Every structure is written in structure tokens, then in C-alpha cells.
Amino acid sequence: MIRLSHIHRIFKVGEEEVYALKDVSLELSSGDYISVMGPSGSGKSTLLNILGLLDRPTSGTYEFEKDDITSLSNQDQALVRRNRIGFVFQFFHLIPRLTAAENVELPLILAGMDPRERKPRVAEALDVLGLKDRAKHRPDQLSGGQRQRVAIARATIMRPSLILADEPTGNLDRHSGSDVVEILENLNRSGITLIIVTHDPALGERARRSIVMTDGSILADHRQGNPSP
Amino acid sequence: MKAGNIFVFSMRALSGYPARTLLVLLAMAIGVASVMLLTSLGEGARRYVNREFTSLGTHILFVLPGRSETTGGPPPLLGQTPRDLTLEDALALTRNPSIAKVGPIVVGSAPVSWNGKDREVTILGTTADMFEIRQLAMGQGRFLPVQDPSIGTGVAVIGHKIKTEIFGNGSALGEWIRIQDRRFRVIGILAPKGQSIGLDMGDLVIIPVASAQSLFNTSALFRIMIEAKHRDDIQEAKEAVLKTIRERHDGEDDITVITQDAILSTFDRILTALTLTVAGIAAISLAVAGILIMNVMLISVSQRKSEIGLLKAVGATGSQVLRVFLTEAAILSMTGAILGLVLAYSGLGVILRLFPDFPVHIPAWSVLASVFTAQLTGILFGVLPARRAAALDPVQALSRR
Ligand SMILES: Nc1ncnc2c1ncn2[C@@H]1O[C@H](COP(=O)(O)OP(=O)(O)OP(=O)(O)O)[C@@H](O)[C@H]1O
Ligand SMILES: [Mg+2]
């Protein structure tokens, strides 16, 4: 379970203050599937970054699985990111000089896992995402859809309980986009909490719960009757 | 994250940008190699001088006319010129128990001719003692005979170069040569021994000191070379010389006595200082290499912003990112230093081939110091970029703004 209470995020640009998030309170249950929509600049990414501990709120508290993690040190927040949260980005963010397998392996290396344990786990993750024969390819030898699948494999390799996807299909064509969405929804079915930021209304409606933001506040928050397509 | 994994990750990062990496390695290698080569040249010069001096024999003193004290004492009185050193002064020294041999020296230049061939040659007037003092060796014949030094006889010992120049392949022993207008019989030819402190022993003619004095029409000696009985006697011999000459010169200290040790240690000091100076100058190039590493790492950090952001997003702590970049700097400086060692030793090989006589040698301290300094500068200058990477805000780093 995740609980945000009275979250503010204020950016200072010179003398001016930009309110990216204004008093956002939100409760998300474990295993839920949530879409976040809204116009550009409404604070969607900011919200996601705070949920993912990449950014700290100016004020407010953040509870993650009953722990108050707002005041954790950078070091401890990194550990939470490593073990409990997976990110999927619009621009994939794969390391260009590393192969698909090495990109997926990265979180395991950071966690200090033994190579003998790492290799089979990476192979399995790639296999599940249909990338078995792409393991030795570098990102520039992969299609957009394949890159995003590598990124998803990397996001899930540590078996997180929360996946945050910021416009994961934003850089993909319709076909590979729906592939990616399907993969993410399958992960959600296996019990992982999934939050997707999107500009695509069709995608937004597939989620069980959709949140619409404007100007740093939550404008609407409703549940679909039937989440399945 | 284990050290081995950091190392592999850093290696991949470095090999991912080969041009940049090679450039830094080159700078580091040149820095390290120049420190080592320059110190080896300085060290070589020191050893060279050392070797030349010890080839003279080890307990030698030089007696020069005139005081060359540079400190203390009132200036000499007007009109007081130093008294000449005479042959009698030299002979008086032989009576001292701490002195083994005394070699008075008269030097001049005169035309030497034989069979119509004519050449201007350095003439050295001395006694039989000089043979041992300078540790000379005969090629043919014998050295000046032991005799009363005040008697000038017409015999000459010639250097090997003079021999070939004047006599060619023919025999010189027993031939009569003409020095200026006097006749001398060649009784010996020196073995080739090379340079010996300023005097080319191959290119001179040695005659009895009294003959040289009358040849150049002087009673003054150029200097006196003395060999003490033992190394421990050098100081005693020096005092004995000063005392004897003072008595003979009406109580005036108008000579200078230099011990070979003093000359040697002066040279040693100068050359050691020179070596250190040169090493210091070369060390600047190491610092430049360090700054280059810093530059390259800073560029690397800003180019790899999104990589750093990503590492943080997948759970890298600040200290892990710091270690990754410090490891890169350390690998760069270590590899550069090793390349520098290779470069220095190949450079040394070239120098040895070109100048086989010059005792170049890379001192162990310079190897250690330059490799250590390379590591230190690499890591020191790597800290700033690494800290910058570690402090990077992941959201900023990942954004495409
Ligand atoms: N680092 C920053 N400095 C200053 N202002 C910022 C910064 N990051 C975000 N903002 C501002 O905060 C607001 C919310 O930005 P955010 O990126 O969350 O929008 P978004 O909803 O994700 O937009 P988009 O759909 O275009 O991605 C915007 O007005 C933006 O200009
Ligand atoms: Mg956004």
C-alpha cells in the first residue's frame, strides 16, 4: 500500500516558484493498475518521480508498505529503489555500450549478487520477454519495441512490488506499443502494482483506476467497472 | 556492488570511448616516462663524473698557487701577488710521512716535429711519480725514469694519438723528436686510456719537469698533484702541505689545496640537485596529465549524465557512482603509468645504444615516485568529476532537457 499525504513540490526558477504538485493526497492499494493522465506540465512526471524516490517532495509525507520513507537518507532511498521499485521510461535509457543482457544484469550487479546466480536470472527474464536471441545485441541493434522490452526486463529483474512507467509507449509505434502494454499488464496480473503515465486515452482507460491531473492537482480519480479489455 | 564488478564496468566504459581513453593514457605515459628518463640522464651524469674521478685514484690532492678562499678574511693587501709554486716547494712535500707521492706539473703548448712533420701539442712536465698518481698505463716502452727532478734530461713519453699522427704505423721508440728547438728521445708510449678529467692523455707529450721548466722558461709550477699514503691520511696530508708551504713562503697562506673527495662531493651535490630539478620539471607534465584526466572525466560525466541517472534509478547509491568514476580514473592513471614505464625503458635502450659509454640508469626511487605520483594525481584529479557524478540529481540527469 502506498499513501501520499499533502504532497507539495515547488521548483524555484530564479525568483519564481513553480508549483509542480499542489497538496496531492493519494492512496494506492497493492497490486492495483493505475493510469495517470492530464495535459502537458500538469505534474504527472513529477508525481511519478516522487513515487519512485527519484525526487523529494517539498512537503508532505510518503508511506510505502507501511514505512514512512519521506525522511530516508539518499543511501536508503537508493536501496528502496533497487529492491522494490522498477522504472520504465519513454526513452528506454539503456546503456549503449552494454548488451541487452548486461543492461538487464545491472541492478543485480549493483545489489552485489553472485555471477552464478545472475546469469540464469537474466537469461530467464530475457526469455520471458521474447528476447532470448537478442541477449548479445547492443541497444542500437534493437528495434524500439525490443529496447523497451529490455528496459522492462531490467525493471523487473529485482522482482519489485511497484512498476512506474512514464509514457512507456510514447516512442513506439502502435503495434509494439500494445505489445509493451500487454507485457506490463501481465506483470500487474502477477501482483505487481503498476502505474502508467500516458497521453493515450485508450491506454488510460484500460487501467482499473485512472487519475487525471491539471496544474499539479488531482482533477478526477475514478475506477473502471471492468478493467479487462 | 563488488570491486571486481566495478572494475569490469569501468573497463567497459573506458573501452567504449577509445579515442579519449588513448589520449589520456598517452599523456600519462609521456609524463611518467619523462620523469624517469630525465632522472636517469641526471643520474647518469652523476655516475659518469664519479667514475671519471675515481679513475684518477682515490686519495689525490691538488695544490694550486694562489688563495681561492671566497669567504671570510680581509682582502689581500695591495700589491701582494701570490708567490709561485716552485719545484723546491714540491720536493719539500715529499718528506712528509702522510704523503706517498708528489707529482709537480708544468703545462704548456709547443710545436713537436719529427721527420718534417710538425704539430702543436700540449706538453706536460712532471716526474716519475705521476705514473702512479694518475694511474697511467704504458702501451710500449717505459715512463719517465726515477731521477733527481731538478735535472732536465731529453726523454719524452708520448700519447697514443700523437704516436699515430706523427709516426703512423712505424716504430716511435728510440726516435728523436724535436720540441721547439730541443731534442728528446721517445722512451715510451702511453696506452690508450681515454679522457682523464679535462686532459686527453692520448694527445700530449710528457717530459721531465726540469726540461719543461727550461723549455717554457719558467720556475713556476702549474700545480702539484699529491697522493696521500691512505684515504685516512688525506686530511693530514692537506694540513702538512699547508704548513710546509706556509713555512717556505714566509708565513703566507698563498696556496689552495683541494682534495679529490671535496671535488667529487661538490659535483655529486650539484648533479643530484640537477637531477631533482629536472625530475621536478618533468613532474609538471605528470600534473598536466592529471589535469587532463580531470578534464576528460568531467566531459565523460556530462556526456554520460543519462547513464548516471539510470544507474541511480535502478538503485545505485551515490557512493557506488563515486566508486565507478574513481575506478575509471585509477585505471587510466595506472595503465598510463605502466605504459610510461615501457616507454621509459625503451627510451633507455635507445640511449644506451647511442651512447654505450654513458652510464644511464633509471634509479629505483624515480620509478616508484613517478608511478606513485601518477596514481595520486589520477585519483586526486578524478575526485572532483566523480563527486560531481555522485551528486547528480537523477531526475535532471534522465530528462532530455
Ligand atoms: N526541474 C524543474 N525545474 C523547474 N520546473 C520544473 C522542473 N521540473 C518540472 N518543472 C515544472 O513542473 C511542472 C510539472 O512538470 P512535469 O514534468 O511533471 O509535467 P508532465 O505532466 O510530466 O508534462 P508532460 O506531459 O509534458 O511530460 C511543469 O510546469 C514544469 O515546467
Ligand atoms: Mg512528463
Side-chain angles (χ1 to χ4, degrees):
Chain A
M1 207 208 34
I2 289 170
R3 182 185 288 135
L4 296 181
S5 330
H6 308 291
I7 296 286
H8 291 260
R9 181 63 173 103
I10 303 165
F11 291 105
K12 276 220 162 70
V13 182
E15 292 292 288
E16 241 176 291
E17 291 191 334
V18 180
Y19 285 76
L21 292 178
K22 279 182 238 167
D23 196 27
V24 172
S25 294
L26 196 59
E27 211 167 288
L28 309 169
S29 41
S30 296
D32 210 348
Y33 175 11
I34 302 122
S35 68
V36 181
M37 311 239 289
S40 187
S42 56
K44 306 182 296 292
S45 296
T46 306
L47 178 64
L48 214 65
N49 289 335
I50 285 176
L51 283 169
L53 295 173
L54 287 178
D55 196 8
R56 285 173 184 272
T58 313
S59 65
T61 56
Y62 178 7
E63 274 173 68
F64 188 93
E65 289 163 0
K66 300 233 163 59
D67 305 323
D68 184 352
I69 55 173
T70 333
S71 56
L72 286 186
S73 69
N74 285 339
Q75 166 94 13
D76 291 338
Q77 289 204 342
L79 295 185
V80 173
R81 280 203 298 275
R82 179 191 298 169
N83 295 312
R84 304 208 255 176
I85 300 172
F87 285 94
V88 179
F89 303 96
Q90 181 181 356
F91 298 105
F92 324 128
H93 286 307
L94 301 176
I95 296 182
R97 61 176 182 277
L98 301 181
T99 64
E102 288 166 335
N103 268 289
V104 174
E105 201 181 8
L106 217 48
L108 302 181
I109 294 179
L110 289 171
M113 187 184 278
D114 198 90
R116 273 166 306 179
E117 258 181 280
R118 269 176 358 222
K119 303 291 172 195
R121 199 147 149 186
V122 170
E124 191 201 320
L126 288 171
D127 196 17
V128 167
L129 292 174
L131 292 163
K132 199 174 184 173
D133 49 351
R134 294 283 181 271
K136 295 236 156 26
H137 290 225
R138 275 187 281 108
D140 57 2
Q141 298 162 328
L142 298 172
S143 74
Q146 287 168 336
R147 286 183 212 180
Q148 197 59 302
R149 277 187 277 153
V150 174
I152 293 172
R154 182 181 60 196
T156 54
I157 194 82
M158 290 294 288
R159 298 178 186 143
S161 57
L162 171 64
I163 288 197
L164 303 169
D166 196 347
E167 304 186 36
T169 60
N171 251 18
L172 301 177
D173 60 49
R174 180 160 286 286
H175 179 71
S176 32
S178 62
D179 269 0
V180 162
V181 169
E182 195 151 324
I183 292 166
L184 290 173
E185 286 177 352
N186 274 333
L187 289 167
N188 170 245
R189 263 177 228 121
S190 72
I192 301 176
T193 313
L194 173 64
I195 306 177
I196 296 184
V197 168
T198 184
H199 281 288
D200 177 359
L203 175 54
E205 257 143 50
R206 291 169 69 99
R208 247 170 280 150
R209 179 179 176 187
S210 37
I211 292 170
V212 180
M213 299 193 64
T214 41
D215 267 344
S217 308
I218 294 175
L219 180 72
D221 180 353
H222 57 86
R223 295 196 157 268
Q224 259 79 11
N226 181 2
S228 304
Chain B
M1 196 174 186
K2 306 212 173 82
N5 291 319
I6 295 182
F7 183 78
V8 171
F9 187 83
S10 301
M11 281 301 280
R12 307 262 335 225
L14 290 172
S15 56
Y17 305 92
R20 186 197 290 167
T21 302
L22 285 180
L23 187 76
V24 175
L25 289 183
L26 190 67
M28 209 35 150
I30 290 176
V32 169
S34 54
V35 169
M36 297 205 305
L37 278 182
L38 289 174
T39 48
S40 82
L41 289 177
E43 179 71 8
R46 200 175 67 81
R47 289 181 174 218
Y48 181 77
V49 168
N50 229 313
R51 194 179 67 187
E52 287 298 301
F53 267 91
T54 42
S55 77
L56 261 184
T58 48
H59 28 281
I60 303 295
L61 296 93
F62 300 85
V63 183
L64 283 60
R67 270 187 81 128
S68 64
E69 211 93 314
T70 49
T71 51
L77 293 173
L78 209 64
Q80 188 189 35
T81 48
R83 231 166 295 224
D84 288 335
L85 272 176
T86 63
L87 192 53
E88 290 67 42
D89 290 335
L91 296 177
L93 296 175
T94 55
R95 289 190 284 273
N96 193 283
S98 58
I99 292 172
K101 300 215 174 327
V102 174
I105 297 177
V106 172
V107 174
S109 176
V112 173
S113 62
W114 177 78
N115 212 4
K117 285 188 206 115
D118 199 297
R119 198 171 170 290
E120 190 80 9
V121 177
T122 305
I123 309 292
L124 187 79
T126 187
T127 60
D129 276 2
M130 188 56 70
F131 187 70
E132 295 238 329
I133 295 174
R134 282 209 99 137
Q135 304 201 334
L136 301 173
M138 297 310 295
Q140 272 178 286
R142 51 196 179 78
F143 198 67
L144 299 179
V146 180
Q147 63 178 27
D148 181 353
S150 54
I151 298 170
T153 46
V155 292
V157 174
I158 63 178
H160 73 281
K161 279 189 202 158
I162 301 286
K163 192 264 161 192
T164 22
E165 271 174 39
I166 295 184
F167 297 97
N169 288 329
S171 167
L173 275 187
E175 294 294 329
W176 286 90
I177 54 174
R178 196 170 272 283
I179 302 178
Q180 224 147 272
D181 54 348
R182 291 154 202 246
R183 279 160 38 92
F184 289 83
R185 197 163 62 87
V186 177
I187 56 165
I189 298 153
L190 291 173
K193 204 190 171 194
Q195 288 283 129
S196 182
I197 316 284
L199 266 185
D200 183 351
M201 298 304 284
D203 202 15
L204 48 69
V205 170
I206 302 175
I207 57 175
V209 64
S211 312
Q213 280 181 320
S214 79
L215 189 68
F216 299 119
N217 192 25
T218 173
S219 62
L221 296 178
F222 173 60
R223 64 189 51 171
I224 305 171
M225 266 177 94
I226 290 171
E227 189 183 311
K229 279 237 168 67
H230 294 288
R231 221 192 151 83
D232 310 333
D233 290 335
I234 292 177
Q235 204 49 40
E236 203 185 316
K238 179 176 178 176
E239 266 143 37
V241 170
L242 286 171
K243 181 164 171 282
T244 310
I245 302 292
R246 190 187 307 129
E247 279 165 6
R248 295 181 52 83
H249 288 192
D250 306 329
E252 294 286 347
D253 271 324
D254 56 2
I255 54 161
T256 304
V257 180
I258 305 170
T259 63
Q260 190 190 352
D261 273 6
I263 300 176
L264 194 56
S265 70
T266 303
F267 267 107
D268 209 77
R269 268 207 314 281
I270 293 172
L271 289 170
T272 303
L274 183 81
T275 305
L276 289 177
T277 310
V278 169
I281 292 169
I284 293 172
S285 68
L286 268 181
V288 171
I291 290 169
L292 192 66
I293 284 190
M294 178 164 73
N295 258 316
V296 164
M297 295 300 293
L298 281 175
I299 295 169
S300 176
V301 167
S302 66
Q303 279 188 347
R304 283 155 66 191
K305 253 190 182 150
S306 75
E307 174 185 329
I308 297 164
L310 183 273
L311 282 175
K312 291 195 155 182
V314 298
T317 60
S319 65
Q320 282 180 323
V321 173
L322 185 84
R323 265 182 282 158
V324 164
F325 279 85
L326 271 185
T327 305
E328 279 181 36
I331 292 174
L332 281 177
S333 51
M334 197 66 225
T335 317
I338 291 169
L339 283 179
L341 283 181
V342 173
L343 204 63
Y345 278 101
S346 7
L348 193 70
V350 172
I351 295 174
L352 280 176
R353 180 149 301 182
L354 293 178
F355 308 99
D357 272 348
F358 192 57
V360 277
H361 165 86
I362 298 180
W365 63 263
S366 108
V367 176
L368 288 179
S370 56
V371 170
F372 179 76
T373 317
Q375 272 297 283
L376 198 72
T377 48
I379 291 173
L380 219 60
F381 286 109
V383 167
L384 177 71
R387 291 181 65 131
R388 186 169 288 189
L392 221 55
D393 170 22
V395 176
Q396 296 276 4
L398 285 167
S399 75
R400 293 228 152 189
R401 263 169 285 195

